mmCIF file of all heavy atoms in Angstrom:
data_model
loop_
_atom_site.group_PDB
_atom_site.id
_atom_site.type_symbol
_atom_site.label_atom_id
_atom_site.label_comp_id
_atom_site.label_asym_id
_atom_site.label_seq_id
_atom_site.Cartn_x
_atom_site.Cartn_y
_atom_site.Cartn_z
ATOM 1 N N ALA B 1 1.675 32.668 -53.587
ATOM 2 C CA ALA B 1 1.437 31.735 -52.448
ATOM 3 C C ALA B 1 1.943 30.387 -52.806
ATOM 4 O O ALA B 1 2.570 29.646 -52.013
ATOM 5 C CB ALA B 1 -0.029 31.686 -52.100
ATOM 6 N N PHE B 2 1.787 29.914 -54.073
ATOM 7 C CA PHE B 2 2.308 28.671 -54.471
ATOM 8 C C PHE B 2 3.807 28.639 -54.424
ATOM 9 O O PHE B 2 4.388 27.641 -53.898
ATOM 10 C CB PHE B 2 1.873 28.370 -56.030
ATOM 11 C CG PHE B 2 2.811 27.522 -56.769
ATOM 12 C CD1 PHE B 2 2.856 26.109 -56.526
ATOM 13 C CD2 PHE B 2 3.755 28.039 -57.577
ATOM 14 C CE1 PHE B 2 3.802 25.339 -57.216
ATOM 15 C CE2 PHE B 2 4.664 27.313 -58.299
ATOM 16 C CZ PHE B 2 4.646 25.889 -58.100
ATOM 17 N N ALA B 3 4.461 29.657 -54.880
ATOM 18 C CA ALA B 3 5.944 29.693 -54.775
ATOM 19 C C ALA B 3 6.450 29.747 -53.397
ATOM 20 O O ALA B 3 7.469 29.088 -53.066
ATOM 21 C CB ALA B 3 6.455 30.855 -55.565
ATOM 22 N N ASP B 4 5.769 30.507 -52.541
ATOM 23 C CA ASP B 4 6.190 30.547 -51.147
ATOM 24 C C ASP B 4 6.071 29.193 -50.533
ATOM 25 O O ASP B 4 6.931 28.794 -49.703
ATOM 26 C CB ASP B 4 5.305 31.614 -50.399
ATOM 27 C CG ASP B 4 5.608 33.065 -50.731
ATOM 28 O OD1 ASP B 4 6.673 33.257 -51.334
ATOM 29 O OD2 ASP B 4 4.767 33.852 -50.474
ATOM 30 N N THR B 5 4.983 28.509 -50.811
ATOM 31 C CA THR B 5 4.761 27.205 -50.179
ATOM 32 C C THR B 5 5.706 26.160 -50.683
ATOM 33 O O THR B 5 6.296 25.416 -49.959
ATOM 34 C CB THR B 5 3.345 26.735 -50.518
ATOM 35 O OG1 THR B 5 2.382 27.683 -49.978
ATOM 36 C CG2 THR B 5 3.080 25.364 -49.925
ATOM 37 N N GLU B 6 5.971 26.106 -51.999
ATOM 38 C CA GLU B 6 6.754 24.988 -52.594
ATOM 39 C C GLU B 6 8.240 25.294 -52.602
ATOM 40 O O GLU B 6 9.041 24.337 -52.650
ATOM 41 C CB GLU B 6 6.232 24.718 -54.000
ATOM 42 C CG GLU B 6 4.835 24.197 -54.054
ATOM 43 C CD GLU B 6 4.593 22.898 -53.299
ATOM 44 O OE1 GLU B 6 5.523 22.061 -53.356
ATOM 45 O OE2 GLU B 6 3.604 22.768 -52.606
ATOM 46 N N PHE B 7 8.598 26.546 -52.634
ATOM 47 C CA PHE B 7 10.070 26.900 -52.733
ATOM 48 C C PHE B 7 10.533 27.731 -51.600
ATOM 49 O O PHE B 7 11.790 27.836 -51.396
ATOM 50 C CB PHE B 7 10.346 27.503 -54.073
ATOM 51 C CG PHE B 7 10.063 26.609 -55.282
ATOM 52 C CD1 PHE B 7 8.777 26.721 -55.910
ATOM 53 C CD2 PHE B 7 10.968 25.655 -55.677
ATOM 54 C CE1 PHE B 7 8.506 25.898 -57.005
ATOM 55 C CE2 PHE B 7 10.659 24.854 -56.742
ATOM 56 C CZ PHE B 7 9.447 24.977 -57.389
ATOM 57 N N GLY B 8 9.659 28.414 -50.901
ATOM 58 C CA GLY B 8 10.087 29.352 -49.878
ATOM 59 C C GLY B 8 9.845 28.828 -48.495
ATOM 60 O O GLY B 8 10.174 29.539 -47.482
ATOM 61 N N HIS B 9 9.472 27.585 -48.331
ATOM 62 C CA HIS B 9 9.174 26.980 -47.007
ATOM 63 C C HIS B 9 8.198 27.744 -46.151
ATOM 64 O O HIS B 9 8.418 27.928 -44.912
ATOM 65 C CB HIS B 9 10.477 26.734 -46.299
ATOM 66 C CG HIS B 9 11.520 25.956 -47.139
ATOM 67 N ND1 HIS B 9 11.338 24.678 -47.560
ATOM 68 C CD2 HIS B 9 12.668 26.366 -47.664
ATOM 69 C CE1 HIS B 9 12.383 24.267 -48.273
ATOM 70 N NE2 HIS B 9 13.199 25.333 -48.393
ATOM 71 N N GLN B 10 7.263 28.497 -46.838
ATOM 72 C CA GLN B 10 6.245 29.239 -46.079
ATOM 73 C C GLN B 10 4.870 28.801 -46.567
ATOM 74 O O GLN B 10 4.252 29.344 -47.472
ATOM 75 C CB GLN B 10 6.373 30.700 -46.431
ATOM 76 C CG GLN B 10 7.795 31.335 -46.157
ATOM 77 C CD GLN B 10 7.879 32.727 -46.741
ATOM 78 O OE1 GLN B 10 7.092 33.578 -46.500
ATOM 79 N NE2 GLN B 10 8.970 32.931 -47.537
ATOM 80 N N ARG B 11 4.387 27.665 -46.060
ATOM 81 C CA ARG B 11 3.166 27.103 -46.475
ATOM 82 C C ARG B 11 1.964 28.070 -46.197
ATOM 83 O O ARG B 11 1.659 28.395 -45.051
ATOM 84 C CB ARG B 11 2.965 25.771 -45.764
ATOM 85 C CG ARG B 11 1.739 24.925 -46.369
ATOM 86 C CD ARG B 11 1.796 23.482 -45.796
ATOM 87 N NE ARG B 11 0.714 22.687 -46.285
ATOM 88 C CZ ARG B 11 0.654 22.127 -47.472
ATOM 89 N NH1 ARG B 11 1.603 22.238 -48.312
ATOM 90 N NH2 ARG B 11 -0.402 21.379 -47.799
ATOM 91 N N ARG B 12 1.324 28.466 -47.243
ATOM 92 C CA ARG B 12 0.220 29.411 -47.112
ATOM 93 C C ARG B 12 -0.766 29.267 -48.231
ATOM 94 O O ARG B 12 -0.341 28.941 -49.349
ATOM 95 C CB ARG B 12 0.711 30.790 -46.952
ATOM 96 C CG ARG B 12 1.335 31.455 -48.143
ATOM 97 C CD ARG B 12 1.856 32.806 -47.819
ATOM 98 N NE ARG B 12 2.381 33.541 -48.998
ATOM 99 C CZ ARG B 12 1.624 34.236 -49.838
ATOM 100 N NH1 ARG B 12 0.383 34.437 -49.564
ATOM 101 N NH2 ARG B 12 2.135 34.886 -50.863
ATOM 102 N N ALA B 13 -2.012 29.592 -47.977
ATOM 103 C CA ALA B 13 -3.058 29.665 -48.997
ATOM 104 C C ALA B 13 -3.678 31.135 -48.866
ATOM 105 O O ALA B 13 -3.542 31.752 -47.835
ATOM 106 C CB ALA B 13 -4.099 28.564 -48.769
ATOM 107 N N ILE B 14 -4.338 31.481 -49.914
ATOM 108 C CA ILE B 14 -5.022 32.795 -49.914
ATOM 109 C C ILE B 14 -6.452 32.618 -49.727
ATOM 110 O O ILE B 14 -7.048 31.590 -50.054
ATOM 111 C CB ILE B 14 -4.688 33.612 -51.164
ATOM 112 C CG1 ILE B 14 -5.410 33.081 -52.399
ATOM 113 C CG2 ILE B 14 -3.179 33.691 -51.416
ATOM 114 C CD1 ILE B 14 -5.497 34.111 -53.510
ATOM 115 N N SER B 15 -7.116 33.628 -49.217
ATOM 116 C CA SER B 15 -8.502 33.648 -49.000
ATOM 117 C C SER B 15 -9.191 34.223 -50.253
ATOM 118 O O SER B 15 -8.761 35.295 -50.757
ATOM 119 C CB SER B 15 -8.949 34.392 -47.715
ATOM 120 O OG SER B 15 -10.305 34.617 -47.717
ATOM 121 N N HIS B 16 -10.272 33.653 -50.687
ATOM 122 C CA HIS B 16 -11.015 34.188 -51.795
ATOM 123 C C HIS B 16 -12.268 34.872 -51.316
ATOM 124 O O HIS B 16 -13.179 35.152 -52.141
ATOM 125 C CB HIS B 16 -11.376 33.078 -52.839
ATOM 126 C CG HIS B 16 -10.163 32.443 -53.456
ATOM 127 N ND1 HIS B 16 -9.410 31.396 -52.844
ATOM 128 C CD2 HIS B 16 -9.553 32.661 -54.671
ATOM 129 C CE1 HIS B 16 -8.401 31.087 -53.690
ATOM 130 N NE2 HIS B 16 -8.489 31.801 -54.737
ATOM 131 N N GLU B 17 -12.408 35.170 -50.027
ATOM 132 C CA GLU B 17 -13.727 35.547 -49.541
ATOM 133 C C GLU B 17 -13.906 37.052 -49.748
ATOM 134 O O GLU B 17 -14.950 37.501 -50.319
ATOM 135 C CB GLU B 17 -13.822 35.224 -48.033
ATOM 136 C CG GLU B 17 -15.223 35.595 -47.507
ATOM 137 C CD GLU B 17 -15.390 35.104 -46.060
ATOM 138 O OE1 GLU B 17 -14.422 34.669 -45.439
ATOM 139 O OE2 GLU B 17 -16.516 35.135 -45.586
ATOM 140 N N TYR B 18 -13.015 37.905 -49.211
ATOM 141 C CA TYR B 18 -13.209 39.370 -49.300
ATOM 142 C C TYR B 18 -12.242 39.962 -50.327
ATOM 143 O O TYR B 18 -11.213 40.507 -49.942
ATOM 144 C CB TYR B 18 -13.029 40.008 -47.906
ATOM 145 C CG TYR B 18 -14.215 39.694 -47.029
ATOM 146 C CD1 TYR B 18 -14.087 38.741 -46.024
ATOM 147 C CD2 TYR B 18 -15.421 40.409 -47.124
ATOM 148 C CE1 TYR B 18 -15.123 38.451 -45.111
ATOM 149 C CE2 TYR B 18 -16.483 40.197 -46.242
ATOM 150 C CZ TYR B 18 -16.343 39.179 -45.305
ATOM 151 O OH TYR B 18 -17.398 38.901 -44.437
ATOM 152 N N VAL B 19 -12.636 39.806 -51.582
ATOM 153 C CA VAL B 19 -11.788 40.286 -52.721
ATOM 154 C C VAL B 19 -12.568 41.389 -53.365
ATOM 155 O O VAL B 19 -13.644 41.190 -53.935
ATOM 156 C CB VAL B 19 -11.431 39.202 -53.658
ATOM 157 C CG1 VAL B 19 -10.604 39.742 -54.868
ATOM 158 C CG2 VAL B 19 -10.697 38.039 -52.960
ATOM 159 N N PRO B 20 -12.003 42.593 -53.470
ATOM 160 C CA PRO B 20 -12.707 43.706 -54.119
ATOM 161 C C PRO B 20 -12.618 43.482 -55.697
ATOM 162 O O PRO B 20 -11.652 42.976 -56.200
ATOM 163 C CB PRO B 20 -12.009 44.926 -53.705
ATOM 164 C CG PRO B 20 -10.630 44.438 -53.449
ATOM 165 C CD PRO B 20 -10.780 43.078 -52.882
ATOM 166 N N THR B 21 -13.651 43.989 -56.379
ATOM 167 C CA THR B 21 -13.612 43.976 -57.840
ATOM 168 C C THR B 21 -14.465 45.100 -58.330
ATOM 169 O O THR B 21 -15.250 45.675 -57.615
ATOM 170 C CB THR B 21 -14.127 42.636 -58.433
ATOM 171 O OG1 THR B 21 -13.888 42.584 -59.729
ATOM 172 C CG2 THR B 21 -15.595 42.439 -58.093
ATOM 173 N N ALA B 22 -14.266 45.464 -59.611
ATOM 174 C CA ALA B 22 -14.916 46.615 -60.196
ATOM 175 C C ALA B 22 -15.425 46.231 -61.574
ATOM 176 O O ALA B 22 -14.929 45.327 -62.250
ATOM 177 C CB ALA B 22 -14.002 47.763 -60.315
ATOM 178 N N ILE B 23 -16.504 46.947 -62.006
ATOM 179 C CA ILE B 23 -16.968 46.868 -63.389
ATOM 180 C C ILE B 23 -16.801 48.259 -63.969
ATOM 181 O O ILE B 23 -17.355 49.227 -63.473
ATOM 182 C CB ILE B 23 -18.466 46.536 -63.377
ATOM 183 C CG1 ILE B 23 -18.719 45.198 -62.587
ATOM 184 C CG2 ILE B 23 -18.982 46.393 -64.810
ATOM 185 C CD1 ILE B 23 -19.909 45.319 -61.654
ATOM 186 N N PHE B 24 -15.950 48.339 -64.992
ATOM 187 C CA PHE B 24 -15.663 49.653 -65.567
ATOM 188 C C PHE B 24 -16.685 50.044 -66.611
ATOM 189 O O PHE B 24 -16.401 50.220 -67.791
ATOM 190 C CB PHE B 24 -14.220 49.669 -66.020
ATOM 191 C CG PHE B 24 -13.175 49.587 -64.985
ATOM 192 C CD1 PHE B 24 -12.481 48.399 -64.747
ATOM 193 C CD2 PHE B 24 -12.964 50.641 -64.071
ATOM 194 C CE1 PHE B 24 -11.604 48.269 -63.744
ATOM 195 C CE2 PHE B 24 -12.101 50.516 -63.074
ATOM 196 C CZ PHE B 24 -11.353 49.288 -62.882
ATOM 197 N N SER B 25 -17.867 50.100 -66.127
ATOM 198 C CA SER B 25 -18.984 50.563 -66.961
ATOM 199 C C SER B 25 -19.195 52.036 -66.824
ATOM 200 O O SER B 25 -18.414 52.709 -66.137
ATOM 201 C CB SER B 25 -20.276 49.830 -66.497
ATOM 202 O OG SER B 25 -20.431 49.876 -65.095
ATOM 203 N N GLN B 26 -20.227 52.513 -67.417
ATOM 204 C CA GLN B 26 -20.639 53.908 -67.255
ATOM 205 C C GLN B 26 -22.098 53.980 -66.960
ATOM 206 O O GLN B 26 -22.915 53.871 -67.832
ATOM 207 C CB GLN B 26 -20.251 54.711 -68.527
ATOM 208 C CG GLN B 26 -18.750 54.816 -68.780
ATOM 209 C CD GLN B 26 -18.413 55.442 -70.103
ATOM 210 O OE1 GLN B 26 -19.156 56.280 -70.672
ATOM 211 N NE2 GLN B 26 -17.214 55.153 -70.596
ATOM 212 N N PRO B 27 -22.482 54.035 -65.699
ATOM 213 C CA PRO B 27 -21.664 54.359 -64.558
ATOM 214 C C PRO B 27 -20.859 53.221 -63.995
ATOM 215 O O PRO B 27 -21.217 52.020 -64.231
ATOM 216 C CB PRO B 27 -22.714 54.733 -63.446
ATOM 217 C CG PRO B 27 -23.932 53.966 -63.851
ATOM 218 C CD PRO B 27 -23.865 53.906 -65.317
ATOM 219 N N GLU B 28 -19.705 53.512 -63.378
ATOM 220 C CA GLU B 28 -18.774 52.545 -62.878
ATOM 221 C C GLU B 28 -19.335 51.900 -61.526
ATOM 222 O O GLU B 28 -20.208 52.512 -60.911
ATOM 223 C CB GLU B 28 -17.470 53.236 -62.502
ATOM 224 C CG GLU B 28 -16.300 52.366 -62.104
ATOM 225 C CD GLU B 28 -14.993 53.129 -62.022
ATOM 226 O OE1 GLU B 28 -14.498 53.627 -63.103
ATOM 227 O OE2 GLU B 28 -14.471 53.227 -60.964
ATOM 228 N N ALA B 29 -18.956 50.714 -61.357
ATOM 229 C CA ALA B 29 -19.436 49.960 -60.142
ATOM 230 C C ALA B 29 -18.281 49.235 -59.488
ATOM 231 O O ALA B 29 -17.296 48.854 -60.184
ATOM 232 C CB ALA B 29 -20.577 49.024 -60.520
ATOM 233 N N ALA B 30 -18.370 49.005 -58.220
ATOM 234 C CA ALA B 30 -17.373 48.220 -57.483
ATOM 235 C C ALA B 30 -17.978 47.595 -56.282
ATOM 236 O O ALA B 30 -18.975 48.064 -55.718
ATOM 237 C CB ALA B 30 -16.203 49.149 -57.069
ATOM 238 N N THR B 31 -17.403 46.498 -55.824
ATOM 239 C CA THR B 31 -17.974 45.747 -54.708
ATOM 240 C C THR B 31 -16.888 44.937 -54.005
ATOM 241 O O THR B 31 -15.797 44.662 -54.532
ATOM 242 C CB THR B 31 -19.009 44.757 -55.317
ATOM 243 O OG1 THR B 31 -19.650 43.959 -54.303
ATOM 244 C CG2 THR B 31 -18.389 43.816 -56.360
ATOM 245 N N ILE B 32 -17.192 44.631 -52.761
ATOM 246 C CA ILE B 32 -16.410 43.652 -51.939
ATOM 247 C C ILE B 32 -17.326 42.906 -51.015
ATOM 248 O O ILE B 32 -18.259 43.479 -50.454
ATOM 249 C CB ILE B 32 -15.292 44.331 -51.190
ATOM 250 C CG1 ILE B 32 -14.494 43.258 -50.441
ATOM 251 C CG2 ILE B 32 -15.820 45.448 -50.261
ATOM 252 C CD1 ILE B 32 -13.248 43.845 -49.699
ATOM 253 N N GLY B 33 -17.091 41.659 -50.800
ATOM 254 C CA GLY B 33 -17.808 40.843 -49.819
ATOM 255 C C GLY B 33 -19.125 40.321 -50.322
ATOM 256 O O GLY B 33 -19.352 40.062 -51.549
ATOM 257 N N TRP B 34 -20.034 40.165 -49.388
ATOM 258 C CA TRP B 34 -21.295 39.491 -49.608
ATOM 259 C C TRP B 34 -22.308 40.396 -50.265
ATOM 260 O O TRP B 34 -22.442 41.553 -49.937
ATOM 261 C CB TRP B 34 -21.872 38.979 -48.373
ATOM 262 C CG TRP B 34 -21.044 37.911 -47.636
ATOM 263 C CD1 TRP B 34 -19.764 37.621 -47.765
ATOM 264 C CD2 TRP B 34 -21.543 37.049 -46.646
ATOM 265 N NE1 TRP B 34 -19.344 36.660 -46.968
ATOM 266 C CE2 TRP B 34 -20.431 36.227 -46.175
ATOM 267 C CE3 TRP B 34 -22.802 36.815 -45.991
ATOM 268 C CZ2 TRP B 34 -20.503 35.221 -45.241
ATOM 269 C CZ3 TRP B 34 -22.860 35.790 -45.030
ATOM 270 C CH2 TRP B 34 -21.707 35.069 -44.694
ATOM 271 N N THR B 35 -23.070 39.770 -51.197
ATOM 272 C CA THR B 35 -24.284 40.532 -51.667
ATOM 273 C C THR B 35 -25.361 40.388 -50.573
ATOM 274 O O THR B 35 -25.354 39.558 -49.648
ATOM 275 C CB THR B 35 -24.792 39.884 -52.943
ATOM 276 O OG1 THR B 35 -25.245 38.533 -52.642
ATOM 277 C CG2 THR B 35 -23.720 39.836 -54.032
ATOM 278 N N GLU B 36 -26.350 41.250 -50.746
ATOM 279 C CA GLU B 36 -27.531 41.132 -49.781
ATOM 280 C C GLU B 36 -28.142 39.794 -49.815
ATOM 281 O O GLU B 36 -28.554 39.231 -48.843
ATOM 282 C CB GLU B 36 -28.543 42.327 -50.055
ATOM 283 C CG GLU B 36 -29.716 42.251 -49.127
ATOM 284 C CD GLU B 36 -30.734 43.372 -49.392
ATOM 285 O OE1 GLU B 36 -30.412 44.267 -50.230
ATOM 286 O OE2 GLU B 36 -31.854 43.279 -48.840
ATOM 287 N N ALA B 37 -28.330 39.303 -51.045
ATOM 288 C CA ALA B 37 -29.033 38.029 -51.233
ATOM 289 C C ALA B 37 -28.238 36.896 -50.600
ATOM 290 O O ALA B 37 -28.827 36.046 -49.924
ATOM 291 C CB ALA B 37 -29.296 37.722 -52.748
ATOM 292 N N ALA B 38 -26.902 36.916 -50.790
ATOM 293 C CA ALA B 38 -26.096 35.818 -50.169
ATOM 294 C C ALA B 38 -26.128 35.893 -48.655
ATOM 295 O O ALA B 38 -26.155 34.890 -47.955
ATOM 296 C CB ALA B 38 -24.609 35.900 -50.726
ATOM 297 N N ALA B 39 -26.041 37.114 -48.143
ATOM 298 C CA ALA B 39 -26.049 37.296 -46.676
ATOM 299 C C ALA B 39 -27.393 36.786 -46.069
ATOM 300 O O ALA B 39 -27.452 36.152 -45.077
ATOM 301 C CB ALA B 39 -25.839 38.765 -46.312
ATOM 302 N N ARG B 40 -28.493 37.134 -46.716
ATOM 303 C CA ARG B 40 -29.843 36.707 -46.198
ATOM 304 C C ARG B 40 -30.002 35.215 -46.330
ATOM 305 O O ARG B 40 -30.583 34.538 -45.457
ATOM 306 C CB ARG B 40 -30.949 37.498 -46.894
ATOM 307 C CG ARG B 40 -31.020 38.912 -46.692
ATOM 308 C CD ARG B 40 -32.259 39.576 -47.177
ATOM 309 N NE ARG B 40 -32.169 41.049 -47.034
ATOM 310 C CZ ARG B 40 -32.401 41.687 -45.888
ATOM 311 N NH1 ARG B 40 -32.682 40.988 -44.782
ATOM 312 N NH2 ARG B 40 -32.397 42.964 -45.837
ATOM 313 N N GLU B 41 -29.381 34.570 -47.339
ATOM 314 C CA GLU B 41 -29.493 33.157 -47.545
ATOM 315 C C GLU B 41 -28.704 32.464 -46.448
ATOM 316 O O GLU B 41 -29.100 31.400 -45.930
ATOM 317 C CB GLU B 41 -29.033 32.755 -48.930
ATOM 318 C CG GLU B 41 -29.133 31.273 -49.203
ATOM 319 C CD GLU B 41 -28.630 30.905 -50.600
ATOM 320 O OE1 GLU B 41 -28.388 31.769 -51.424
ATOM 321 O OE2 GLU B 41 -28.452 29.678 -50.880
ATOM 322 N N GLN B 42 -27.524 33.035 -46.124
ATOM 323 C CA GLN B 42 -26.620 32.306 -45.216
ATOM 324 C C GLN B 42 -27.028 32.611 -43.758
ATOM 325 O O GLN B 42 -26.886 31.680 -42.892
ATOM 326 C CB GLN B 42 -25.161 32.895 -45.400
ATOM 327 C CG GLN B 42 -24.551 32.412 -46.749
ATOM 328 C CD GLN B 42 -24.320 30.872 -46.746
ATOM 329 O OE1 GLN B 42 -23.927 30.265 -45.802
ATOM 330 N NE2 GLN B 42 -24.568 30.296 -47.958
ATOM 331 N N LEU B 43 -27.451 33.799 -43.450
ATOM 332 C CA LEU B 43 -27.685 34.190 -42.078
ATOM 333 C C LEU B 43 -29.133 34.367 -41.682
ATOM 334 O O LEU B 43 -29.477 34.383 -40.533
ATOM 335 C CB LEU B 43 -26.952 35.531 -41.779
ATOM 336 C CG LEU B 43 -25.395 35.474 -42.049
ATOM 337 C CD1 LEU B 43 -24.817 36.836 -41.734
ATOM 338 C CD2 LEU B 43 -24.755 34.416 -41.185
ATOM 339 N N GLY B 44 -30.011 34.520 -42.685
ATOM 340 C CA GLY B 44 -31.444 34.761 -42.390
ATOM 341 C C GLY B 44 -31.771 36.212 -42.470
ATOM 342 O O GLY B 44 -30.955 37.093 -42.096
ATOM 343 N N ASP B 45 -33.014 36.576 -42.738
ATOM 344 C CA ASP B 45 -33.437 37.942 -42.887
ATOM 345 C C ASP B 45 -33.286 38.700 -41.605
ATOM 346 O O ASP B 45 -32.945 39.880 -41.628
ATOM 347 C CB ASP B 45 -34.872 37.970 -43.367
ATOM 348 C CG ASP B 45 -35.052 37.527 -44.811
ATOM 349 O OD1 ASP B 45 -34.039 37.582 -45.498
ATOM 350 O OD2 ASP B 45 -36.203 37.223 -45.237
ATOM 351 N N SER B 46 -33.569 38.104 -40.418
ATOM 352 C CA SER B 46 -33.535 38.836 -39.168
ATOM 353 C C SER B 46 -32.105 39.256 -38.754
ATOM 354 O O SER B 46 -32.017 40.153 -37.941
ATOM 355 C CB SER B 46 -34.166 37.946 -38.072
ATOM 356 O OG SER B 46 -33.445 36.794 -37.881
ATOM 357 N N THR B 47 -31.103 38.585 -39.326
ATOM 358 C CA THR B 47 -29.702 38.899 -38.887
ATOM 359 C C THR B 47 -29.080 39.967 -39.740
ATOM 360 O O THR B 47 -28.085 40.566 -39.357
ATOM 361 C CB THR B 47 -28.908 37.561 -38.872
ATOM 362 O OG1 THR B 47 -29.562 36.617 -38.069
ATOM 363 C CG2 THR B 47 -27.502 37.760 -38.389
ATOM 364 N N VAL B 48 -29.553 40.104 -40.982
ATOM 365 C CA VAL B 48 -28.894 40.967 -41.913
ATOM 366 C C VAL B 48 -29.636 42.299 -41.989
ATOM 367 O O VAL B 48 -30.872 42.421 -42.051
ATOM 368 C CB VAL B 48 -28.940 40.345 -43.357
ATOM 369 C CG1 VAL B 48 -28.378 41.351 -44.384
ATOM 370 C CG2 VAL B 48 -28.179 39.063 -43.372
#
């Protein structure tokens, strides 16, 4: 995105909100988006 903006005349930024990630543990885990706690804090218990 930096190179596109500064050298490719395509000004853009990336979103860091919905990025998947994994923990290669045993058992393995993976996640994307909001945790339950974050959602309840932001939106309230009745909305989540």
Side-chain angles (χ1 to χ4, degrees):
F2 152 77
D4 290 342
T5 299
E6 297 300 319
F7 297 97
H9 309 294
Q10 306 169 51
R11 189 168 178 80
R12 67 183 186 91
I14 73 163
S15 171
H16 296 83
E17 186 174 10
Y18 287 101
V19 178
T21 189
I23 306 131
F24 293 106
S25 50
Q26 296 174 21
E28 187 171 295
T31 180
I32 180 173
W34 296 20
T35 66
E36 178 179 350
R40 294 192 184 282
E41 181 180 351
Q42 292 292 320
L43 303 178
D45 289 341
S46 61
T47 306
V48 176

